[in-house]
Amino acid sequence: ITGTIKTFDFTSFIGMALTEEGDVWTWGYNRNDLHEIGNGTTTDTYVTVPVKIGFGGQKITQLAAGHNHVLAIDTNGDVWMWGKQWGGGTLGPYSTPTKILSGKNIVKVFSSYFTLYALDETGGVWVSGQNNQGQFGDGTTTSSSTWKEVPYFSNRGITVEKLICMAYGTFALTSDGYYCWGDNREGELGLGTNTVVTTPTKFTAIPDTVMLNCGAFTGYAVGSDSKFYTWGRNTYGELGNGSSGTNIN
């Protein structure tokens, strides 16, 4: 890799690195139905040395990896994707980076397994892809390859600062605290229920949450009381509470 590495990420089959110079390098397994390497190769190939991929002369400021796809923002605030987003509202497979959202002045991108998220410069949230478990937060469970704005936040004057994505659910850090929505069948949203949530819901289970992160189906947070909290799936002891096999919602 040429240049200074700024950040790196991984899908299920490839690794990628973004440099301070705005270049993207990828390596790993380029499955013939996913095209995750992004250099135009469409055959089953093991890429064991990082290769630089192109964005039509544009430089990249941020990456976000999904299950089998990658999102990137260029210096104009447009969003690119390569690989394949599947599971509903399918995009791709794209064997080279392809622009999928423009003109929205996007400043951050995020991805769950199969749902794409973008934050614009006003703090608005845009979504595309799979929505079978309410991942869009728009009150529906209809997937779409067309980008849509999440109306809940913009209608209430709430700005979103960042998203923390699970497999099929999402937490948002906003100007009004933490919100969550999406899949909740294993209690991974920490709302005390096991029901799918299709619109953003205020997360109040922890007193004044100061730090929050997630695994695929498990949530972790620190409250203002300096205590560490966990919830959600506990099949393999993910909760760290001395047990396994019993989820906590």
Side-chain angles (χ1 to χ4, degrees), residues 127-225:
V127 294
S128 180
Q130 188 186 68
N131 188 37
N132 64 328
Q133 300 298 329
Q135 296 99 311
F136 282 11
D138 65 351
T140 76
T141 54
T142 303
S143 301
S144 175
S145 59
T146 301
W147 287 89
K148 300 181 176 182
E149 187 173 13
V150 180
Y152 183 94
F153 299 111
S154 57
N155 288 348
R156 290 164 175 80
I158 298 172
T159 58
V160 177
E161 298 175 23
K162 74 171 182 177
L163 302 178
I164 305 100
C165 296
M166 309 179 92
Y168 307 106
T170 302
F171 282 80
L173 174 59
T174 79
S175 56
D176 185 41
Y178 282 96
Y179 284 78
C180 58
W181 67 92
D183 190 16
N184 191 39
R185 292 170 294 175
E186 300 193 59
E188 57 263 55
L189 297 183
L191 298 174
T193 70
N194 294 85
T195 304
V196 169
V197 178
T198 61
T199 57
T201 300
K202 192 75 175 286
F203 178 71
T204 59
I206 296 170
D208 299 323
T209 302
V210 297
M211 185 184 305
L212 187 147
N213 212 335
C214 299
F217 300 97
T218 309
Y220 306 89
V222 176
S224 59
D225 55 5

Side-chain angles (χ1 to χ4, degrees), residues 53-133:
I53 62 175
F55 296 83
Q58 295 293 319
K59 294 299 183 180
I60 300 303
T61 61
Q62 192 221 326
L63 299 174
H67 200 56
N68 299 119
H69 64 269
V70 185
L71 301 177
I73 309 174
D74 66 26
T75 53
N76 293 322
D78 295 335
V79 179
W80 301 68
M81 188 193 113
W82 67 98
K84 183 177 182 180
Q85 173 279 322
W86 50 285
T90 301
L91 291 164
Y94 302 131
S95 63
T96 58
T98 301
K99 192 178 293 188
I100 60 170
L101 180 62
S102 59
K104 300 298 183 183
N105 295 319
I106 300 302
V107 294
K108 297 177 183 176
V109 284
F110 305 87
S111 186
S112 63
Y113 275 10
F114 308 118
T115 308
L116 322 179
Y117 300 89
L119 300 188
D120 64 33
E121 63 181 0
T122 69
V125 182
W126 298 80
V127 294
S128 180
Q130 188 186 68
N131 188 37
N132 64 328
Q133 300 298 329

